[in-house]
């Protein structure tokens, strides 16, 4: 590793100047953004697009003020790389999950029923998505500036066209459409000079998130060839998720007898209170001051005082997605993800229990160097199964596919509580597996020759 320095216990230095900013930096708070999908009909036009986008694409870490930032990120599907004319030997070097795409692996990750690919929004899963652009900023002025710079790269080209756009923004409440603060947790990545949000989390090997570095197994994983294409890249699972807010509220109301019980049940299912305060630190009532404190709202583990889940149930959403040090079957560090969620659509007004028909939910970007043992494992084994916590018949109460037959167990003394007949509170509207290359790789792609 000629550009990294081995520093013993501190591991390697990630070539952060070659890593797209969209790979490792948290999104700003507050945020506004836009996602765009493009189709490449002419490989020469696609390469010309990249030459225009490279100066726009940000690299490295954010500035000192995380809330005053904006960036453009560029990623490609397998079909997109083929449309650019990437050589066959390089295309074949990508992992099978990426080559097949998310739609082909829907059963594996729980996209069934209403979430199955045949119900997805066009153009998800059609093979027409080639390039995915994401633009995130802390205010509208910065967003407009970056979007216009990105648009200038493809406007006027007959060989590249936009086939899908989605605006995202933080709601005025600062919470998701389900009413909970989001974007709190970010991993501590070894070799990246950006601290994680949990001071108790030991640094995770860079190779879990960025290609070209040792991962938690101690080895440098296989990556796409040639080296310039794979190194400093990562994979992104992009998901559009509709939230059934009315169904969520109806279920909480039907299974409680007061507003206080309703709030507690919701927190038990999520693992945090609406403010972001974790049940592990605030088990009895919401603590908005704790929830707003970036130094404290993610500063906890489970094994020391809540391994049995009396504060935060083992099946709660945040504990399934990141079990931390809890006693589980397997090693949680092997399945850590960078998760970046952004909200789309209007909120359902407070107190409304009936669905108004509006589209609302989450655009999720889940980043890691191993699609199968990170994103797919979490979806199949932790979200839609409970074997790892000793509850094989239960799914994630928030993100699992329940179809009206789900159950969730909440540990209580002297007798645990078991809720039944959970509906599905989220529905997949579409998804794509993308590859987010390093900047040198973008230049390599832009200069491909026939």
């Amino acid at each position: 590793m000629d550009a990294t320095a081995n520093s013993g216990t501190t591991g390697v230095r990630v070539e952060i100047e070659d890593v797209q900013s969209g790979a490792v930096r948290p999104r700003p708070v507050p945020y506004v953004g836009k996602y765009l999908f493009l189709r490449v009909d002419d490989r020469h036009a696609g390469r010309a697009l990249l030459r225009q986008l490279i100066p726009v694409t940000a690299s490295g870490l954010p500035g000192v003020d995380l809330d005053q930032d904006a960036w453009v990120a560029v990623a490609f599907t397998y079909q997109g790389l083929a449309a650019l004319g990437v050589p066959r030997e390089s295309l074949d070097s990508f992992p099978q999950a990426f080559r097949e795409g998310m739609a082909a692996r829907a059963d594996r990750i729980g996209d069934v029923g209403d979430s199955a690919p045949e119900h997805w929004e066009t153009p998800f899963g059609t093979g027409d998505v080639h390039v995915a652009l994401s633009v995130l900023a802390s205010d509208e002025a910065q967003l407009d500036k970056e979007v216009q710079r990105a648009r200038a790269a493809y406007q006027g080209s007959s060989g590249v066209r936009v086939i899908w756009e989605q605006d995202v923004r933080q709601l005025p409440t600062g919470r998701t459409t389900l009413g909970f603060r989001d974007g709190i947790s970010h991993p501590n990545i070894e070799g990246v000079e950006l601290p994680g949000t949990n001071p108790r989390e030991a640094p995770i090997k860079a190779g879990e998130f960025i290609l070209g570095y040792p991962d938690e197994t101690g080895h440098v994983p296989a990556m796409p060839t040639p080296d310039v294409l794979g190194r400093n890249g990562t994979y992104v699972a992009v998901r559009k998720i509709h939230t059934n807010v009315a169904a969520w509220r109806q279920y909480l109301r039907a299974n409680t007898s007061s507003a206080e019980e309703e709030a507690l049940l919701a927190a038990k299912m999520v693992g945090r209170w609406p403010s972001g305060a974790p049940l592990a630190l605030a088990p009895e009532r919401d603590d908005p001051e704790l929830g707003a404190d970036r130094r404290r709202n993610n500063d906890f583990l489970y094994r020391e005082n809540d391994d049995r889940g009396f504060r935060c149930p083992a099946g709660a959403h945040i504990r399934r997605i990141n079990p931390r040090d809890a006693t589980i079957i397997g090693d949680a560090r092997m399945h850590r993800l960078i998760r970046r969620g952004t909200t789309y659509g209007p909120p359902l007004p407070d107190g409304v229990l009936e669905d108004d028909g509006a589209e609302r939910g989450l655009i999720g970007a889940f980043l890691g160097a191993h699609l199968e043992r990170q994103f797919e494992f979490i979806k199949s084994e932790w979200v839609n199964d409970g074997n790892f916590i000793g509850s094989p018949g239960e799914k994630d109460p928030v993100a699992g596919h329940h179809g009206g037959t789900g159950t969730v167990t909440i540990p209580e003394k002297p007798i645990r509580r078991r809720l039944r007949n959970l509906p599905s509170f989220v529905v997949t509207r579409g998804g794509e597996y993308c590859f987010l290359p390093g900047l040198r790789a973008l230049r390599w792609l832009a200069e491909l020759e026939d």
Side-chain angles (χ1 to χ4, degrees):
M1 297 183 184
D2 54 348
T4 61
N6 192 329
S7 52
T9 58
T10 61
V12 298
R13 183 188 72 83
V14 173
E15 299 167 327
I16 197 65
E17 66 280 357
D18 188 46
V19 177
Q20 287 197 53
S21 287
V24 294
R25 66 167 67 179
R27 60 163 168 72
V29 180
Y31 66 86
V32 289
K34 182 181 286 289
Y35 287 84
L36 303 102
F37 288 166
L38 290 76
R39 192 179 75 193
V40 176
D41 295 320
D42 178 85
R43 61 181 178 274
H44 300 290
R47 296 167 192 171
L49 165 73
L50 292 190
R51 289 193 287 272
Q52 296 294 318
L53 282 175
I54 287 170
V56 179
T57 306
S59 67
L61 298 176
V64 176
D65 189 347
L66 296 179
D67 297 339
Q68 296 297 317
D69 207 2
W71 71 87
V72 176
V74 185
F76 307 89
T77 63
Y78 176 77
Q79 291 85 357
L81 293 173
L84 287 172
V86 171
R88 173 53 54 186
E89 58 268 27
S90 293
L91 292 173
D92 290 345
S93 68
F94 281 90
Q96 182 177 350
F98 175 71
R99 298 197 310 269
E100 291 183 354
M102 190 181 293
R105 301 169 74 84
D107 288 346
R108 181 182 305 241
I109 60 177
D111 284 337
V112 296
D114 291 344
S115 292
E118 57 263 32
H119 303 301
W120 285 3
E121 178 180 315
T122 303
F124 287 103
T126 63
D128 285 342
V129 179
H130 293 163
V131 183
L133 299 181
S134 62
V135 189
L136 288 176
S138 56
D139 59 47
E140 290 282 0
Q142 292 184 85
L143 177 66
D144 289 344
K145 177 182 176 182
E146 296 300 321
V147 168
Q148 290 308 313
R149 293 175 68 198
R151 286 192 192 280
Y154 59 79
Q155 284 179 332
S157 173
S158 60
V160 178
R161 68 185 183 94
V162 176
I163 59 174
W164 182 82
E165 295 187 35
Q166 180 70 63
D167 292 320
V168 295
R169 66 179 59 249
Q170 183 169 295
L171 296 176
T173 60
R175 299 175 182 177
T176 67
T177 53
L178 288 179
F180 288 78
R181 185 178 176 182
D182 195 19
I184 294 173
S185 184
H186 191 274
N188 183 358
I189 306 171
E190 184 181 65
V192 176
E193 295 179 2
L194 181 67
T197 54
N198 184 355
R200 301 177 187 232
E201 180 180 66
I204 298 173
K205 295 295 184 183
E208 292 296 317
F209 309 102
I210 307 296
L211 293 170
Y213 305 91
D215 62 15
E216 286 290 314
T217 70
H219 299 94
V220 177
M223 65 182 182
T225 59
D227 184 82
V228 67
L229 174 60
R231 188 172 179 82
N232 293 319
T234 191
Y235 296 99
V236 189
V238 179
R239 307 266 288 170
K240 182 172 183 178
I241 304 295
H242 172 72
T243 48
N244 289 324
V245 180
W248 170 257
R249 293 178 181 176
Q250 291 168 12
Y251 191 84
L252 294 174
R253 183 68 56 86
N255 287 276
T256 57
S257 58
S258 68
E260 292 75 18
E261 286 186 9
E262 193 172 321
L264 179 60
L265 177 58
K268 290 286 188 180
M269 294 168 74
V270 173
R272 291 185 185 270
W273 296 94
S275 73
L279 284 175
L281 300 180
E284 297 181 1
R285 62 186 61 85
D286 201 353
D287 184 343
E289 183 177 344
L290 170 62
D293 190 336
R294 294 182 183 180
R295 296 171 300 177
R296 297 192 297 139
N297 62 16
N298 207 40
D299 184 7
F300 64 93
L301 297 173
Y302 292 115
R303 186 171 298 180
E304 182 177 341
N305 58 11
D306 194 33
D307 206 33
R308 298 180 63 187
F310 286 109
R311 292 186 173 205
C312 179
H317 174 65
I318 70 163
R319 192 157 171 171
R320 281 176 174 265
I321 297 299
N322 179 17
R324 303 185 187 224
D325 69 329
T327 299
I328 63 170
I329 298 173
D331 182 355
R333 292 171 64 85
M334 298 284 287
H335 311 290
R336 196 79 160 90
L337 275 173
I338 296 173
R339 178 187 176 277
R340 192 168 296 120
T342 49
T343 296
Y344 73 89
L348 186 66
D350 289 344
V352 173
L353 296 179
E354 298 301 321
D355 187 16
D356 62 359
E359 277 293 321
R360 56 175 60 88
L362 171 83
I363 302 294
F366 306 90
L367 298 92
H370 309 274
L371 277 172
E372 289 191 64
R373 73 164 167 84
Q374 290 174 308
F375 175 75
E376 291 193 343
F377 180 93
I378 290 172
K379 284 288 294 175
S380 63
E381 302 299 323
W382 289 358
V383 170
N384 285 305
D385 197 350
N387 277 317
F388 78 112
I389 55 173
S391 300
E394 298 189 7
K395 302 178 181 180
D396 185 316
V398 180
H401 177 76
H402 301 293
T405 62
T407 61
V408 60
T409 299
I410 299 176
E412 293 180 355
K413 294 179 179 180
I415 302 174
R416 67 185 180 183
R417 183 182 185 188
R418 177 163 289 172
L419 299 172
R420 303 183 186 278
N421 303 320
L422 268 74
S424 297
F425 300 117
V426 300
V427 179
T428 306
R429 292 291 194 237
E432 297 286 348
Y433 285 156
C434 298
F435 178 62
L436 188 79
L439 293 193
R440 287 196 294 267
L442 285 178
R443 290 191 286 270
W444 182 84
L445 290 166
E447 299 303 327
L448 285 169
E449 297 181 358
D450 292 339

